[in-house]
């Protein structure tokens, strides 16, 4: 999967290390696994070893994606298998890595991973493909004339590739589901409060404006959320109830005074 490229590249770079110019290495001078030939091919045609030594992280990623990842159809391979084939390609060449994968899944070994190879790969268990590929890779490496020099490092590398590839294979390829937020419901005013408020002329229309559609407009205008509006509304409602109680007491007191005078 293409989303595994960054992870696969970071793992490959741990194995490749930094600068290398070993006389027994047929790849010649390399920096972070990038050969001088590939650096000239994809980045700077007239590059020297000094230029290669100063290669940037972006340039490294460009070479690895174009020369290795894309060459083995890394974006199309199942998770885990993509990394196992990618690392094989970096270590021994894209064509050989593709041929070995095709041999594992029973596809035509032409070194080009196309629809038929991908179909065969997807028809097998990922763990089985990874383990068989790593086993065959070790047999190939063990037959090279440079085994005495690099065999120990290769053995450790393939072992680590196997472990990490199996971890990736156990993860789902699908992206995590999109979480849809539940719409906020309009608050419900208790019946008891609603009954008392309706008795107050003029105030019911104001309260409806705050808690009804007008409240939503006010929230948008002020840039506030419904929780803020509800808090303001609660305070206003408390003041309103206090005014209702005071009104009743005043009316009662006026009636008492009027009764005393008339009596």
């Amino acid at each position: 999967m293409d989303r595994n490229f960054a992870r696969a590249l970071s793992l490959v770079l741990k194995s490749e290390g930094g600068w290398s110019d070993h006389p027994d290495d047929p790849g010649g001078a390399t920096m972070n696994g990038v050969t001088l030939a590939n650096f000239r091919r994809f980045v700077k045609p007239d590059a020297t070893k000094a230029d290669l030594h100063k290669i940037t992280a972006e340039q490294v990623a460009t070479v690895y994606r174009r020369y290795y990842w894309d060459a083995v159809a890394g974006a199309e391979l199942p998770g885990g298998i993509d990394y196992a084939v990618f690392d094989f390609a970096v270590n021994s060449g894209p064509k050989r890595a593709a041929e070995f994968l095709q041999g594992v899944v029973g596809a035509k070994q032409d070194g080009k991973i196309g629809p038929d190879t991908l179909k065969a790969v997807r028809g097998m268990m990922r763990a089985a493909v990874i383990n068989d590929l790593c086993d065959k890779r070790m047999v190939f490496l063990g037959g090279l004339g440079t085994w005495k020099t690099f065999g120990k490092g290769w053995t450790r590398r393939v072992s680590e590739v196997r472990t990490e590839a199996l971890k990736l294979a156990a993860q789902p390829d699908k992206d995590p589901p999109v979480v849809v937020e539940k719409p906020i419901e309009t608050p419900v005013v208790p019946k008891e409060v609603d009954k008392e408020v309706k008795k107050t002329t003029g105030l019911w229309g104001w309260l409806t404006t705050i808690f009804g559609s007008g409240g939503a407009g006010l929230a948008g205008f002020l840039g506030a959320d419904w929780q803020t509006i509800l808090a303001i509304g609660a305070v206003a409602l408390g003041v309103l109830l206090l005014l209702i109680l005071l009104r009743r007491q005043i009316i009662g007191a006026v009636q008492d005074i009027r009764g005393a005078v008339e009596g």
Side-chain angles (χ1 to χ4, degrees):
M1 299 295 289
D2 199 48
R3 64 188 180 85
N4 285 340
F5 174 71
R7 173 62 176 162
L9 178 58
S10 68
L11 292 170
V12 166
L13 292 180
K14 287 181 180 180
S15 299
E16 288 298 325
W19 175 258
S20 176
D21 195 8
H22 199 287
D24 293 334
D25 188 346
T30 62
M31 182 63 180
N32 292 328
V34 177
T35 64
L36 182 59
N38 282 332
F39 186 57
R40 288 171 175 171
R41 179 180 179 184
F42 294 108
V43 181
K44 189 177 181 181
D46 59 346
T48 63
K49 287 186 178 181
D51 295 324
L52 176 62
H53 199 276
K54 297 183 292 185
I55 190 172
T56 66
E58 291 77 13
Q59 291 171 338
V60 168
T62 296
V63 173
Y64 274 95
R65 177 180 283 279
R66 296 181 62 184
Y67 186 67
Y68 299 109
W69 184 262
D70 291 345
V72 297
E76 303 297 325
L77 291 171
I81 297 176
D82 52 3
Y83 166 54
V85 179
F86 176 54
D87 188 86
F88 196 164
V90 173
N91 194 199
S92 303
K95 188 174 187 297
R96 180 173 287 109
E99 290 174 344
F100 271 70
L101 174 65
Q102 290 169 331
V104 168
V105 301
K108 181 181 178 181
Q109 291 180 269
D110 57 4
K112 299 178 181 179
I113 299 178
D116 292 339
T117 301
L118 292 172
K119 181 179 179 180
V121 170
R122 292 165 184 160
M124 295 181 62
M125 295 290 292
R126 299 185 193 184
V129 175
I130 292 169
N131 283 321
D132 198 5
L133 182 65
C134 289
D135 290 343
K136 285 181 168 54
R137 180 179 176 184
M138 283 303 304
V139 172
F140 164 73
L141 292 173
L144 296 179
T146 52
W147 173 260
K148 291 182 178 180
T149 303
F150 301 108
K152 186 177 180 179
W154 286 339
T155 301
R156 181 177 61 253
R157 176 172 182 160
V158 175
S159 176
E160 292 173 352
V161 168
R162 187 193 303 265
T163 299
E164 293 298 328
L166 290 173
K167 288 180 182 178
L168 287 172
Q171 299 176 7
D173 280 338
K174 294 182 179 180
D175 294 330
V178 178
V179 179
V180 180
E181 295 184 2
K182 184 178 179 181
I184 301 175
E185 298 179 357
T186 304
V188 179
V189 180
K191 292 183 177 180
E192 294 77 7
V193 176
D194 182 61
K195 184 177 180 181
E196 292 296 332
V197 171
K198 285 184 177 179
K199 294 180 179 180
T200 307
T201 304
L203 289 176
W204 172 247
W206 173 81
L207 190 60
T208 301
T209 302
I210 293 296
F211 284 95
S213 59
L218 181 60
F221 177 75
L222 296 177
D225 55 21
W226 267 107
Q227 293 179 345
T228 304
I229 297 301
L230 289 177
I232 297 173
V235 174
L237 186 58
V239 173
L240 177 61
L241 293 176
L242 180 60
L243 291 174
I244 292 173
L245 294 175
L246 290 175
R247 178 174 175 275
R248 287 183 173 181
Q249 293 179 356
I250 293 172
I251 292 174
V254 171
Q255 290 177 346
D256 292 341
I257 295 173
R258 184 179 296 174
V261 170
E262 292 177 352

